[in-house]
Amino acid sequence: MLTLVPTPIGNLEDISKRAITALLDAELIFCEDTRVTKKLLQLLSQRENLQFNCSDFKSFHSHNEKQILKTLTSEDFEKNIVYVSDAGMPCVSDPGASLVEFCIQNNIVYDVIPGANAVLTAFAMSGFEQTEFTFYGFLAHKGKERHQKLSQVMQSSILPILYESPHRLLKTLEEIKNIDENRTLFLAKELTKLHQKIYKDTASNLFEQFKNENIKGEWVIIIEPTKTKGENLELSDIEELDLAPKIKAKLIAKLTGKSVKEIYNQLSQ
């Protein structure tokens, strides 16, 4: 079978007994980075006085997962296979989902062990009282894709959560400030690690605080959601409007992501 094993996101003591058992029983370990996983097992061996006997480590990450999947058969899973990402829960802004889908499509038994996760940890620490959230992962580095995703995030009525790297945090804070300088943000730095730190303030104040600092570490950003007024616009609302086909096509394309030409041709039939 396949077992997805979460690993600590900073504090080694967050490894669970179930995770250790799965790693002890593993005959093959797929890793986002084999060097990181071997180092983790070495540290666990020293701390827990354990002997991890698996000697078969194979890389499985976003750049090679398609090629690896082509080589796998159901028979490969007659042994205990473990998948770990570098830190935290596999499949959450990390590789692993395609491996799970392979198991589903081929009726292979698999399990996911619960464990450390920066999204849930930051959500619980934030003090926001919303019971729902939307995780957007990392924004694109630049360009139209980044702008569109950030606009979507800032318009969300469900608490949005982002990951951000240290060298782009200030840029993201500035972009958020330029959209809504009074929006409350919660920032969590290096969760579970020695230099863990949290901040909660307006986008404007946080940008001013960080603009002259040497920013380090990995970050989680939680953004106060917008307050919705009235009802959400539905596709049928636009379709029922008495508008010129070109204008209606542009609105529908914006809402659905389809091309304006495709929508226009459908409306003209």
Side-chain angles (χ1 to χ4, degrees):
M1 66 176 292
L2 170 71
T3 306
L4 275 71
V5 175
T7 53
I9 58 176
N11 191 323
L12 199 62
E13 293 185 3
D14 290 336
I15 192 78
S16 70
K17 290 183 178 180
R18 285 187 65 196
I20 288 175
T21 299
L23 290 167
L24 285 169
D25 292 340
E27 298 171 87
L28 166 62
I29 301 180
F30 280 123
C31 323
E32 186 177 2
D33 187 325
T34 58
R35 296 165 298 180
V36 172
T37 302
K38 287 176 181 179
K39 180 64 175 177
L40 173 66
L41 295 185
Q42 180 186 353
L43 292 172
L44 289 173
S45 297
Q46 294 169 353
R47 199 195 74 164
E48 303 289 340
N49 193 25
L50 296 169
Q51 182 64 46
F52 294 95
N53 295 315
C54 182
S55 59
D56 195 359
F57 296 83
K58 292 184 179 178
S59 64
F60 186 94
H61 48 72
S62 57
H63 300 295
N64 74 352
E65 58 185 325
K66 290 182 180 179
Q67 290 79 7
I68 296 293
L69 289 171
K70 289 177 182 178
T71 69
L72 294 178
T73 66
S74 298
E75 287 71 31
D76 292 321
F77 292 85
E78 291 176 359
K79 54 187 174 184
N80 288 325
I81 297 180
V82 160
Y83 175 73
V84 293
S85 56
D86 287 348
M89 179 65 71
C91 308
V92 182
S93 207
D94 276 332
S98 61
L99 201 53
V100 172
E101 181 63 17
F102 179 87
C103 290
I104 293 171
Q105 295 299 325
N106 291 278
N107 297 313
I108 296 166
V109 178
Y110 71 96
D111 195 11
V112 179
I113 296 175
N117 177 262
V119 176
L120 292 177
T121 304
F123 175 64
M125 294 178 77
S126 70
F128 287 116
E129 297 184 8
Q130 283 79 3
T131 57
E132 298 177 306
F133 68 84
T134 303
F135 176 55
Y136 287 90
F138 287 94
L139 295 172
H141 295 179
K142 57 185 178 180
K144 183 178 179 182
E145 185 183 354
R146 179 183 175 88
H147 174 75
Q148 288 179 337
K149 192 169 184 179
L150 185 58
S151 296
Q152 181 185 359
V153 166
M154 293 298 290
Q155 292 169 21
S156 175
S157 60
I158 298 176
L159 194 72
I161 302 179
L162 298 170
Y163 282 163
E164 194 52 278
S165 61
H167 54 281
R168 277 192 293 275
L169 178 68
L170 189 64
K171 176 183 178 181
T172 301
L173 290 177
E174 184 175 22
E175 290 172 336
I176 292 173
K177 174 187 71 74
N178 291 341
I179 296 172
D180 185 354
E181 64 179 11
N182 294 316
R183 190 77 66 91
T184 299
L185 307 181
F186 174 82
L187 306 181
K189 169 191 174 182
E190 293 285 88
L191 284 171
T192 79
K193 299 183 178 73
L194 181 64
H195 299 290
Q196 172 180 299
K197 203 162 184 181
I198 60 173
Y199 309 81
K200 192 172 185 180
D201 207 333
T202 64
S204 179
N205 286 345
L206 287 170
F207 175 73
E208 290 300 317
Q209 180 176 347
F210 283 102
K211 69 179 183 180
N212 295 316
E213 288 195 15
N214 181 21
I215 299 171
K216 297 180 180 180
E218 299 300 320
W219 295 78
V220 182
I221 304 175
I222 304 183
I223 303 169
E224 178 188 14
T226 59
K227 295 177 175 63
T228 54
K229 298 177 182 179
E231 298 180 2
N232 291 329
L233 185 68
E234 301 288 342
L235 181 60
S236 58
D237 297 328
I238 298 175
E239 292 173 337
E240 292 168 2
L241 292 175
D242 185 17
L243 296 171
K246 282 187 178 180
I247 296 173
K248 189 180 289 189
K250 287 182 179 180
L251 290 173
I252 294 175
K254 195 80 170 177
L255 196 63
T256 63
K258 296 181 179 178
S259 72
V260 176
K261 184 177 181 181
E262 179 185 356
I263 301 296
Y264 180 79
N265 290 337
Q266 290 175 353
L267 294 173
S268 301
Q269 291 177 355

